[in-house]
């Protein structure tokens, strides 16, 4: 009988055991690198929506979210806060980076659920560790079923009041890809590249050419092991492959620019785009720029925030910011 009780107790405990998933999933065991005071580090009413692209959740099958646990910024020693008048809603949404509305209601999907019914809430103190410690799990009153195949996850924090005092959250915050030069240009031409965030644009540009002359943008993914000389143009080289070529006339100032849309999909994070320009000079010979190597970056996360009111229907959209949160499943 004693063994039976032990076995039964173990089985019952397993029914209530939770698995967890950190979102964005890339930061499960590493620091996100930036911080924010929103929502629990303010001293005022606020409403903060955080959106996580489905690809950032690390989930590949439907789950039921039973709790939320917000991570402190690495190295932050936060003091516990009590009497936070909090309600949390969740939904599955088609909204993503670049399409979020300043109107809170427009960002939610049709399965909007008040999952954490309004109540006075406390978040615990944290020690200065890296990665940071957590608020303590906020158990949902209504567990939320989430299917990453159906859309992105939106978590909406509605705080009617909270006492003064800081509480810093761990968050990624990336606003551009990385860009480096490969090789050198010739004939006074110069190439540049900017942007490169997921859900934003990557802009490829050149300058220093002859006004209104023809030019071509070469786009590829592989740096050549040995630069290839351009025939008839001493000192000019090709530095990359170019499966894509885009003819573009130069402007009256001898410049050209092409913005490319980057899909808001985590699959593309870390992808490398190479770009090099060729342009006709005054003698109709071909001169070339250096190659630009652009690495796409950022996480498909965003927030819509109003840090002074929880009753206003609108806030401000800020892309590429999303607090690190542990989902209890």
């Amino acid at each position: 009988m004693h063994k039976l009780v032990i076995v039964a107790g173990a089985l019952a405990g397993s029914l209530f055991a939770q698995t967890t998933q950190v979102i964005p999933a890339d930061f499960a065991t590493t620091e996100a690198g930036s911080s924010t005071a929103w929502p629990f580090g303010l001293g005022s009413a606020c409403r903060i929506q955080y959106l996580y692209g489905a690809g950032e959740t690390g989930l590949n099958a439907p789950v039921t979210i039973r709790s939320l646990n917000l991570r402190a910024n690495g190295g932050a020693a936060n003091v516990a806060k009590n009497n936070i008048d909090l309600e949390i809603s969740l939904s599955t949404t088609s909204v993503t980076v670049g399409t979020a509305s300043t109107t809170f209601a427009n960002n939610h999907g049709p399965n909007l659920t008040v999952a954490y019914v309004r109540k006075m809430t406390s978040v615990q103190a944290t020690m200065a560790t890296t990665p940071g410690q957590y608020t303590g799990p906020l158990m949902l009153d209504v567990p939320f079923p989430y299917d990453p195949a159906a859309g992105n996850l939106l978590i909406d924090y509605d705080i009617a009041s909270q006492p003064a005092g800081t509480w810093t959250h761990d968050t990624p915050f990336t606003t551009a890809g990385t860009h480096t030069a490969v090789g050198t240009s010739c004939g006074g031409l110069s190439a540049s590249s900017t942007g490169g965030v997921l859900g934003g644009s990557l802009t490829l540009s050149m300058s220093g050419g002859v006004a209104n002359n023809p030019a071509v943008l070469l786009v590829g993914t592989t740096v050549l092991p040995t630069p290839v000389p351009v025939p008839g143009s001493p000192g000019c080289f090709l530095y990359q492959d170019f499966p894509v070529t885009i003819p573009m006339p130069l402007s009256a100032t001898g410049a050209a620019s092409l913005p490319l849309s980057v899909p808001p999909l985590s699959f593309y994070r870390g992808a490398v785009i190479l770009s090099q320009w060729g342009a006709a000079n005054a003698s109709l010979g071909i001169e070339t720029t250096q190659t630009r190597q652009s690495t796409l970056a950022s996480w498909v996360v965003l927030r819509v925030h109003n840090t002074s009111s929880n009753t206003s229907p609108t806030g401000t959209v800020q892309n590429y910011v999303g607090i690190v949160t542990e989902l209890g499943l």
Side-chain angles (χ1 to χ4, degrees), residues 260-279:
L260 302 173
S261 296
V262 181
L265 301 172
S266 59
F267 170 81
Y268 292 100
R269 184 166 49 250
V272 174
I273 307 296
L274 301 177
S275 58
Q276 184 175 14
W277 295 82

Side-chain angles (χ1 to χ4, degrees), residues 33-61:
S34 191
S35 66
T36 182
W38 308 344
F40 296 145
L42 298 171
S44 60
C46 64
R47 185 172 179 185
I48 318 290
Q49 291 182 333
Y50 281 103
L51 179 138
Y52 303 85
E56 305 295 0
T57 66
L59 300 169
N60 54 21

